[in-house]
Amino acid sequence: MNEKWQQLKDWIEESKQIVFFGGAGVSTESGIPDFRSENGIFMTINEYGFSPETILSHSFFMAKPEIFFEYYKKSLLFPDAKPNNAHKALAKLEKEGKLRSVITQNIDDLHQKAGSQRVLELHGTLYKNYCMKCGKTFDLSYVMQNNGITKCDACGGIVRPDVVLYEEGLDNTTVTEAVKDISNADMLIVGGTSLNVYPAAGLIRYYKGNKLVLINKSATQYDKSADLVISDAIGDVLGSIVL
């Protein structure tokens, strides 16, 4: 184990209020592509003539729901993906009473599948869906039954994923909880994110401790502010140290 990995292991052992903040890179080792890397979802060409960011915006969803639903069901759903060592390690740390919470930008539910209990989903989740007309909720299996616009079986309204689209704001309650957890953390581990997506990325500024760890394959704008930077795959790092 190299020096940086050993330092991380030592800090984890002595910490009691760890908070983890993660992004798309946490799930790439589970076979879910990220968004902005060379082979990311937003870099692939689609047949609709609109950028992915446009398709996944609130205004586009309201104007052209048929294209929105066809695109997101083809490009964003990975129901067979399994938690990797990063997800499993974080669930273990929580079970041991060391990890306070997982704050994630991901919408894939893999943290919950690994066993994590306190997961703050900044951008929502594809595994929860609701009727915009009557409010009835549906799981992912209901949404996947057809390729068109998902309609409510009770009132016929459109059933949309409970995710934050472009042009929509983050849930205030989730953000408040995230700020509270980060502010009270004795260690903050940030992993699998380039920290370029705001306002989510700005949350790490609320950390006031001296154990800010960044684990990401590429450099981030916060590297100079971190107490420890590890440029490796997060599943490899946490799996080796925790599992």
Side-chain angles (χ1 to χ4, degrees):
M1 185 176 296
N2 67 41
E3 183 178 344
K4 288 188 175 183
W5 289 30
Q6 184 62 53
Q7 179 68 79
L8 176 60
K9 182 178 181 180
D10 293 343
W11 283 355
I12 288 176
E13 290 177 351
E14 65 187 49
S15 299
K16 298 179 180 179
Q17 283 287 327
I18 303 171
V19 169
F20 178 81
F21 180 97
V26 177
S27 295
T28 53
E29 292 170 69
S30 293
I32 298 178
D34 60 14
F35 290 91
R36 294 175 175 81
S37 68
E38 183 179 351
N39 297 313
I41 293 172
F42 285 179
M43 304 304 291
T44 57
I45 298 174
N46 64 71
E47 66 268 36
Y48 307 108
F50 302 95
S51 70
E53 291 94 335
T54 297
I55 296 174
L56 297 176
S57 67
H58 175 82
S59 56
F60 189 93
F61 168 72
M62 298 301 293
K64 301 180 183 295
E66 65 285 348
I67 295 179
F68 171 87
F69 275 96
E70 185 175 344
Y71 176 78
Y72 113 79
K73 290 179 182 181
K74 284 183 178 180
S75 303
L76 298 183
L77 299 182
F78 297 87
D80 298 326
K82 306 295 183 185
N84 60 54
N85 283 342
H87 302 104
K88 294 174 183 177
L90 293 167
K92 182 181 179 183
L93 289 175
E94 182 187 50
K95 189 175 182 179
E96 293 173 350
K98 286 185 165 294
L99 184 78
R100 168 61 179 165
S101 63
V102 169
I103 302 169
T104 181
Q105 297 170 281
N106 295 338
I107 54 178
D108 52 41
D109 253 28
L110 289 181
H111 286 293
Q112 291 90 332
K113 289 180 180 179
S116 290
Q117 299 297 310
R118 182 170 172 78
V119 182
L120 302 178
E121 297 169 308
L122 295 173
H123 296 154
T125 173
L126 291 171
Y127 284 76
K128 296 177 184 176
N129 304 267
Y130 64 92
C131 175
M132 297 174 66
K133 186 176 181 180
C134 73
K136 183 176 180 180
T137 58
F138 299 88
D139 61 16
L140 184 61
S141 62
Y142 180 85
V143 173
M144 295 180 65
Q145 290 176 8
N146 61 76
N147 293 323
I149 298 173
T150 305
K151 295 292 186 69
C152 176
D153 60 6
C155 73
I158 293 178
V159 176
R160 65 161 284 178
D162 192 9
V163 297
V164 179
L165 301 175
Y166 286 99
E167 304 168 350
E168 295 179 340
L170 303 184
D171 177 72
N172 287 333
T173 300
T174 304
V175 171
T176 299
E177 289 295 302
V179 169
K180 182 177 68 175
D181 285 2
I182 291 174
S183 298
N184 294 325
D186 59 5
M187 180 178 184
L188 177 61
I189 303 175
V190 180
T193 173
S194 59
L195 294 172
N196 287 325
V197 178
Y198 286 84
L203 292 175
I204 71 170
R205 295 173 181 167
Y206 289 93
Y207 177 66
K208 304 303 181 184
N210 59 359
K211 296 174 188 166
L212 173 58
V213 181
L214 299 186
I215 307 173
N216 198 55
K217 287 185 176 180
S218 59
T220 79
Q221 60 180 315
Y222 285 92
D223 283 6
K224 293 182 179 179
S225 303
D227 301 294
L228 180 63
V229 177
I230 299 177
S231 304
D232 294 304
I234 188 166
D236 291 342
V237 177
L238 293 183
S240 297
I241 291 173
V242 178
L243 298 180

